[in-house]
């Protein structure tokens, strides 16, 4: 059964059962609190909370997808039999359509009847803290197979979520075949709030995830994921010198595949966030290729094969772009790499500490140091090297915690990220510009326009909002003009604290389902300043906002903001595009950034 057969069987199975097939979303999520898309449910988060309407967008309460996903926390573990950075996730989802009974029956039928596999055992949530055990799932499993082996597990194994700082979450049941977990079925009964408390969702939902690579491994009866037809054609392209070096082979094929998908979703190598992950992946491919004499042309051929093999499913894969980014990064990295190898040549012995230094300063991975170091690195072990790495991580984390509150950044509110004072000034200007943009969109397009996400870097703002069609060039111009007009009017930006109730009563916009504390901060922009107004309540003779005019914008927000809109500079829209059926995205910048 090829991976193509598995994809087709899965989608057909759920389509036949009333699910709308939805294409994978980008690896770069709209939720700014997560770096990458890590699960199929991410693009559906607003449907679980009732904030978006699945009937309107999909014509069904149930969907299914095969989602491109990236999980980078285990990047250093890639090379064993099961870890990957990029993978694909098959999933079926329901937003109030069906719940435990159907979800378990579908999974059971798909695994045992459609794929003809035998289930070893299933796990269910055994209860923990105040959350009760999932006796209902146990009953459903027993009704399908009287003899099925059911194991109760705790919260760390059988409770999902949330992705990002908050989101839908709930107990899970998992299916094990040939000793590996293949399917995770989540019963989204709760909303996990940022403060870790749980609120009951109005309608419970279903979210499932089944890794394609693992499924292919058990369906194709292979010993590990790299022997499946998802990886075999790539491993074939590696030179004979790499035979027996399974770990290196796996790192090269995993990282090339992840890099190809990241580049095609618009990531370029850099020293920050997604760009930094891509840089690490590409550099590890380069270093191992260099060490084993894998020619650049052969690496390019691997990228070409990835683009070819996956092109039918993911037409966004752009072979030329992938290869050109790889070539550019290779050129940049060669100098450091040569420096690192030279440094290694100078050492008499290579122990954990010196090996880690080579890794940190030049990006030489453990394998290369061990391999090239030869006799000099005789006593160097992976566990020693990893211990050294862990020790350094702890030291630098402790430093970063003290300085930047644990982020390694000067500011990271989730929405706003800045590494130093200079960047902080830029993101602050863009942040106030975002409020002006939000207010202008509502005034020009529709008062129902709602913020869906906002992401601000020192270079630009990115604002997602609900609207169901492309904006005309005239509308974009009007929006841009309105923001610039508000900037020219030199409107004051005033921060006040009040109760949540008063804030909403005063017309302040709140961000959809976010849980707010009782006392909140509100930022009001405008109206214009007039001499002498309001002076009865203040002793100052400074100009005051004209209290008879409504403000230009008022939002619940944690800040920071400029104190007068004139500090923003000239506002310019760079791009307007669709994020999904009813969500648009605007990227904009301000002059001087
Ligand atoms: N959201 C379920 C999973 O990714 O396993």
């Amino acid at each position: 059964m090829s991976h193509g057969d598995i994809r087709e069987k899965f989608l057909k199975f759920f389509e036949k059962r009333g699910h709308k097939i939805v294409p994978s979303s980008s690896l770069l999520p709209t939720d700014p609190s997560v770096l990458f898309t890590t699960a199929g449910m991410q693009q559906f988060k607003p449907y679980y909370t009732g904030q978006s309407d699945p009937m309107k967008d999909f014509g069904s309460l149930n969907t299914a997808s095969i989602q491109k996903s990236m999980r980078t926390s285990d990047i250093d573990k890639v090379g064993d039999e099961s870890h990957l950075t990029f993978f694909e996730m098959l999933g079926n989802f329901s937003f109030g359509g069906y719940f435990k009974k159907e979800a378990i029956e579908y999974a059971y039928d798909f695994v045992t009847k459609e794929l003809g596999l035998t289930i070893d055992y299933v796990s269910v949530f055994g209860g923990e803290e105040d959350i009760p055990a999932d006796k209902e799932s146990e009953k459903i499993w027993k009704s399908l197979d009287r003899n099925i082996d059911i194991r109760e597990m705790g919260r760390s194994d059988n409770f999902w979520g949330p992705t990002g700082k908050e989101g839908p979450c709930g107990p899970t049941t998992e299916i094990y075949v040939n000793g590996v977990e293949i399917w995770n079925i989540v019963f989204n009964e709760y909303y996990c709030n940022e403060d870790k408390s749980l609120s009951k969702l109005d309608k419970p939902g279903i979210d499932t995830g089944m890794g394609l690579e693992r499924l292919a491994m058990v369906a194709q009866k292979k010993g590990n994921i790299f022997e499946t037809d998802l990886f075999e054609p790539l491993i074939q392209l590696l030179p004979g010198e790499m035979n027996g070096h399974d770990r290196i082979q796996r790192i090269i094929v995993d990282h090339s595949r992840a890099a190809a998908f990241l580049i095609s979703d618009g990531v370029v190598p850099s020293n920050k966030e997604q760009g930094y992950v891509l840089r690490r992946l590409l550099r590890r491919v380069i270093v191992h290729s260099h060490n084993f004499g894998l020619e650049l042309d052969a690496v390019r051929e691997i990228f070409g094969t990835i683009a070819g093999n996956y092109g039918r499913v993911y037409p966004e894969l752009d072979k030329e772009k992938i290869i050109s980014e790889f070539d550019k990064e290779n050129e940049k990295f060669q100098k450091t790499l040569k420096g690192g190898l030279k440094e290694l040549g100078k050492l008499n012995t290579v122990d954990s500490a010196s090996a880690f230094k080579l890794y940190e300063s030049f990006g030489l991975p453990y394998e290369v140091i061990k391999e090239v170091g030869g006799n000099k690195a005789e006593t160097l072990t992976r566990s020693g090297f990893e211990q050294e790495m862990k020790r350094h991580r702890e030291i630098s984390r402790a430093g970063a915690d003290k300085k930047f509150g644990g982020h390694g950044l000067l500011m990271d509110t989730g929405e706003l990220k800045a590494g130093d004072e200079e960047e902080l000034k830029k993101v602050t200007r863009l942040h106030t510009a975002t409020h002006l943009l939000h207010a202008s969109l509502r005034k020009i397009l529709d008062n129902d326009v709602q913020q869906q996400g906002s992401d601000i870097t020192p270079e630009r703002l990115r604002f997602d909002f609900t609207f169901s069609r492309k904006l005309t060039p005239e509308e974009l111009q009007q929006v841009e003009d309105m923001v610039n007009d508000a900037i020219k009017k030199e409107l004051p930006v005033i921060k006040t604290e009040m109760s949540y109730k008063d804030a909403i009563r005063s017309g302040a916009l709140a961000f959809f389902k976010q849980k707010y504390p009782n006392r909140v901060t509100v930022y009001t922009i405008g109206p214009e300043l007039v001499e002498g107004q309001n002076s009865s309540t203040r002793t100052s003779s400074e100009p005051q906002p004209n209290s008879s005019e409504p403000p230009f914008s008022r939002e619940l927000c944690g800040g920071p903001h400029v104190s007068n809109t004139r500090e923003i500079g000239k506002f310019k829209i760079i791009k307007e595009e669709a994020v999904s059926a009813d969500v648009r995205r605007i990227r904009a910048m301000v002059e001087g950034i």
Side-chain angles (χ1 to χ4, degrees):
M1 197 182 303
S2 70
H3 68 88
D5 297 336
I6 299 174
R7 291 175 199 278
E8 204 180 309
K9 272 184 195 289
F10 180 81
L11 295 177
K12 279 230 174 87
F13 180 92
F14 283 101
E15 194 169 28
K16 255 199 222 149
R17 287 158 183 80
H19 293 65
K20 167 83 181 164
I21 307 305
V22 179
S24 170
S25 63
S26 164
L27 280 171
L28 308 184
T30 44
D31 179 350
S33 67
V34 274
L35 215 48
F36 293 112
T37 299
T38 57
M41 60 82 68
Q42 237 158 297
Q43 68 165 321
F44 301 119
K45 266 168 102 170
Y47 299 98
Y48 291 106
T49 53
Q51 180 210 337
S52 297
D53 178 359
M55 286 311 291
K56 195 161 145 250
D57 294 346
F58 309 121
S60 171
L61 295 175
N62 316 316
T63 63
S65 71
I66 302 181
Q67 175 66 48
K68 300 182 280 190
S69 308
M70 268 298 275
R71 291 185 188 171
T72 53
S73 51
D74 291 332
I75 203 164
D76 290 314
K77 292 203 188 108
V78 174
D80 66 5
E81 296 201 336
S82 62
H83 284 93
L84 290 171
T85 52
F86 171 86
F87 62 99
E88 291 173 87
M89 190 77 114
L90 314 179
N92 57 294
F93 311 90
S94 186
F95 321 107
Y98 58 86
F99 201 45
K100 293 185 181 175
K101 183 170 181 295
E102 292 85 345
I104 294 176
E105 278 176 11
Y106 289 154
Y108 178 79
D109 284 350
F110 185 74
V111 171
T112 59
K113 296 181 186 152
E114 204 66 29
L115 299 182
L117 298 169
T118 308
I119 296 177
D120 294 342
Y121 67 93
V122 298
S123 61
V124 298
F125 181 60
E128 202 170 310
E129 291 157 27
D130 292 337
I131 315 166
D134 185 5
K135 293 290 172 199
E136 194 187 340
S137 291
E138 225 172 300
K139 238 201 246 149
I140 299 167
W141 278 118
K142 284 220 177 91
S143 76
L144 294 169
D145 177 352
R146 228 160 20 104
N147 300 319
I148 201 158
D149 179 2
I150 303 175
R151 304 185 187 178
E152 288 197 352
M153 311 276 243
R155 191 165 174 170
S156 61
D157 290 300
N158 277 51
F159 197 91
W160 169 267
T163 61
K165 286 193 177 140
E166 55 179 319
C169 59
T172 69
T173 182
E174 297 176 357
I175 301 176
Y176 287 74
V177 174
N178 291 353
V180 294
E181 180 213 324
I182 60 159
W183 206 339
N184 183 20
I185 297 154
V186 185
F187 306 120
N188 276 330
E189 295 175 59
Y190 303 101
Y191 192 86
C192 290
N193 301 302
E194 209 177 328
D195 64 6
K196 307 255 183 293
S197 63
L198 301 181
S199 322
K200 206 79 176 142
L201 280 175
D202 288 346
K203 276 191 214 140
I206 290 295
D207 152 30
T208 85
M210 176 157 57
L212 178 62
E213 290 77 4
R214 275 198 207 175
L215 186 60
M217 176 180 101
V218 296
Q220 295 172 6
K221 308 211 169 2
K222 300 290 185 188
N224 67 65
I225 46 179
F226 296 98
E227 291 173 7
T228 64
D229 62 351
L230 288 157
F231 286 107
E232 191 54 28
L234 303 178
I235 303 251
Q236 291 294 338
L237 296 173
L238 299 174
E241 289 80 13
M242 278 194 195
N243 285 347
H245 295 272
D246 291 350
R247 208 184 133 76
I248 311 284
Q249 295 188 325
R250 291 165 184 170
I251 290 174
I252 291 185
V253 295
D254 168 81
H255 288 15
S256 310
R257 200 172 70 138
F261 276 92
L262 285 177
I263 293 168
S264 303
D265 272 349
V267 183
V268 289
S270 75
N271 286 332
K272 270 199 203 142
E273 302 182 340
Q274 292 104 336
Y276 182 60
V277 173
L278 174 59
R279 169 157 283 166
R280 277 183 73 191
L281 295 170
L282 286 174
R283 290 190 169 196
R284 286 183 92 192
V285 170
I286 294 166
V287 119
H288 289 303
S289 305
H290 182 96
N291 197 40
F292 278 93
L294 179 64
E295 302 284 339
L296 284 185
D297 267 344
V299 183
R300 293 188 190 111
E301 198 184 336
I302 294 174
F303 284 126
T305 307
I306 293 168
N309 285 359
Y310 284 94
R312 244 175 2 131
V313 189
Y314 300 105
E316 66 272 28
L317 281 173
D318 181 342
K319 180 179 154 186
E320 307 306 322
K321 194 165 144 203
I322 299 164
I323 292 177
S324 120
E325 286 301 339
F326 167 74
D327 283 349
K328 277 193 266 177
E329 188 60 17
N330 179 54
E331 201 168 305
K332 278 195 194 127
F333 182 47
Q334 281 303 331
K335 262 224 276 318
T336 341
L337 178 58
K338 287 207 183 95
L341 292 173
K342 204 164 139 200
E343 202 59 34
L344 175 57
K346 281 193 218 154
L347 296 172
N348 291 327
T349 50
V350 186
D351 58 9
S352 308
S354 51
F356 180 74
K357 231 172 150 181
L358 288 169
Y359 167 76
E360 258 227 312
S361 324
F362 299 99
L364 292 191
Y366 167 80
E367 294 83 5
V368 172
I369 301 170
K370 181 85 183 154
E371 182 83 26
V372 180
N375 285 345
K376 294 194 288 188
E378 217 173 352
T379 59
L380 179 69
T381 60
R382 175 173 294 284
S383 68
F385 178 80
E386 275 168 2
Q387 244 167 12
E388 189 69 18
M389 179 140 87
K390 205 168 144 217
R391 207 170 64 82
H392 276 260
R393 276 209 188 120
E394 272 155 15
I395 295 169
S396 65
R397 190 169 306 133
D401 277 350
K402 236 169 53 216
K403 207 163 163 197
F404 301 139
H407 290 294
L409 287 171
L410 184 56
M411 173 162 285
D412 180 2
T413 64
E415 178 184 7
L416 219 87
K417 293 175 194 69
D420 56 33
E421 288 295 336
E422 199 54 38
E423 290 188 348
L424 183 57
K425 275 188 206 146
K426 290 177 181 172
V427 293
T428 304
R429 286 160 65 197
L430 285 163
H431 191 197
T432 312
T434 303
H435 282 217
L436 295 179
L437 171 65
H438 189 186
S440 302
L441 287 167
R442 291 169 64 95
K443 291 181 211 293
I444 287 167
L445 299 177
D446 185 343
N447 219 25
D448 283 342
V449 162
Q450 267 186 14
Q451 172 172 348
Q452 292 293 293
S454 164
D455 178 81
I456 300 171
T457 69
E459 289 81 33
R460 54 104 186 109
L461 66 86
R462 194 181 81 190
F463 186 72
D464 295 345
F465 57 99
T466 52
F467 198 58
S468 55
R469 63 165 170 82
K470 189 163 180 58
L471 273 67
T472 65
E474 293 74 31
E475 284 167 338
L476 282 173
Q477 192 59 53
Q478 277 177 314
V479 171
E480 192 178 290
D481 289 348
M482 187 177 272
V483 172
N484 278 317
D485 200 45
I487 293 172
K488 263 194 229 127
K489 280 187 180 149
E490 306 196 343
L491 301 178
V493 181
I494 293 165
K495 176 181 171 180
T496 31
E497 255 190 44
M498 56 182 90
S499 72
Y500 177 78
K501 262 202 190 131
D502 283 347
I504 298 301
R505 220 177 280 143
S506 78
L509 300 178
F511 191 45
F512 51 93
K513 289 274 170 177
Q514 186 165 322
K515 259 271 203 254
Y516 288 98
N518 285 339
R519 282 199 78 72
V520 294
T521 326
V522 174
Y523 277 90
T524 306
I525 310 182
E528 285 177 77
L529 294 173
V530 289
E531 296 293 336
Q533 281 269 336
N534 271 359
S535 55
S536 60
T537 53
R538 305 195 194 188
T539 50
S540 151
S541 60
E542 302 240 317
Q544 302 297 331
N546 180 350
S547 59
S548 60
E549 289 277 322
F552 186 83
S553 144
R554 179 171 283 161
E555 290 193 33
L556 263 76
C557 176
H561 284 283
V562 299
S563 54
N564 188 293
T565 56
R566 71 172 158 255
E567 293 165 50
I568 296 174
K570 196 166 160 43
F571 171 82
K572 195 158 176 44
I573 293 176
I574 308 164
K575 197 171 175 189
E576 187 267 345
E577 62 191 334
V579 174
S580 65
D582 279 322
V583 178
R584 311 291 307 177
R585 168 172 292 177
I586 283 182
R587 289 174 202 269
M589 51 184 278
V590 298
E591 196 185 68
I593 283 183

